[in-house]
Amino acid sequence: DSGVTQTPKHLITATGQRVTLRCSPRSGDLSVYWYQQSLDQGLQFLIQYYNGEERAKGNILERFSAQQFPDLHSELNLSSLELGDSALYFCASSTWTSGYTDTQYFGPGTRLTVL
Amino acid sequence: AQTVTQSQPEMSVQEAETVTLSCTYDTSESNYYLFWYKQPPSRQMILVIRQEAYKQQNATENRFSVNFQKAAKSFSLKISDSQLGDTAMYFCAFMKLDSGNEKLTFGTGTRLTIIP
């Protein structure tokens, strides 16, 4: 158990819908990362938050958005869903050690199926 | 931009044998970390081992060790005394430091099967 929690584990929805994925980082970790794992794209970085502020963006679609709340949990919102958004979405968290970001530990993932 | 290449899509080895998974990367950075993550059938991403680029000594974690060749930009994972529980996808990953963007860049993975 990495200490990172994600809910829900599975999500099945229809095209055009909107869903919210939730992540709670390990205790003490200020950084949260979101990754998408799909069969054709592999593991792709989406977005990073540090202590409530967006820190970096990757290949995140405009239909997707995220935020990190004061209690440090994070939510990834996916809207106008398409079949191609079906994937495993991971959240990871890390801390800072001696001025550098440390190892990222992953949650169990949320499997999204868009029908 | 950094790239990570894993040239072995699949490997298999007999239980108790030793296996080495290959990874190469391309970067102009000098300050970075390299990782191996394991993804078993449960799909959980599990950290196997980490190597800091500034360290010359190769990292070791029990049966897992790496061969880090910085000049060659090579980072292979050796699994000794392989066990059935080692069956998984293994991903090599790169993380640049001091960039304001500590994302992980992953390779495409190697599917490892341990044969009883």
Side-chain angles (χ1 to χ4, degrees), chain A residues 2 33 35 37 43 45 48 55-57 88 90 96 99-108 111, chain B residues 31 33 35 37 39 42-45 47 50 91 95-104 106-107:
Chain A
S2 67
Y33 310 78
Y35 293 87
Q37 185 178 30
L43 273 155
F45 167 72
Q48 177 194 0
R55 185 167 171 89
K57 261 186 176 179
L88 188 54
F90 284 107
W96 286 78
Y100 294 107
T101 192
D102 210 323
T103 299
Q104 293 179 33
Y105 291 92
F106 283 74
R111 178 171 295 283
Chain B
N31 200 11
Y33 291 165
F35 302 88
Y37 283 90
Q39 188 177 40
S42 66
R43 308 305 299 273
Q44 172 81 47
M45 291 290 287
L47 174 71
R50 180 179 94 175
F91 292 95
M95 183 173 78
K96 185 170 65 170
L97 300 180
D98 298 333
S99 64
N101 181 354
E102 295 88 13
K103 70 174 184 179
L104 288 167
F106 288 92

